[in-house]
Amino acid sequence: MKVKLDELVCEANAVCTGLAPEVFELDDDDQLHILLPEPPPESQDRVRHAVRSCPKAALSLEE
């Protein structure tokens, strides 16, 4: 699994950071960073949920 971000679509709503903080981080400038682009198996269910929950559909998965 690989997590991808469309930076042009992301509005930094931070839903993903609340659902999978070990993978997503929002910096002080409201820029989203993917800390683990290839999350470990124990995080993958949370990451899938975070991707589905993105209000702007700025996140996607490559499996």
Side-chain angles (χ1 to χ4, degrees):
M1 164 191 287
K2 185 168 184 166
V3 183
K4 296 189 175 196
L5 168 67
D6 186 337
E7 294 178 14
L8 299 175
V9 176
C10 181
E11 289 184 343
N13 291 301
V15 173
C16 58
T17 62
L19 295 171
E22 71 279 13
V23 176
F24 303 102
E25 178 181 73
L26 197 61
D27 68 18
D28 293 337
D29 295 323
D30 285 338
Q31 294 293 312
L32 183 67
H33 300 278
I34 299 174
L35 303 174
L36 297 171
E38 296 183 25
E42 61 271 12
S43 296
Q44 291 183 1
D45 285 341
R46 285 190 305 279
V47 170
R48 283 186 186 94
H49 182 59
V51 169
R52 285 191 310 267
S53 299
C54 179
K56 298 305 288 183
L59 297 168
S60 61
L61 294 175
E62 185 177 285
E63 299 208 49

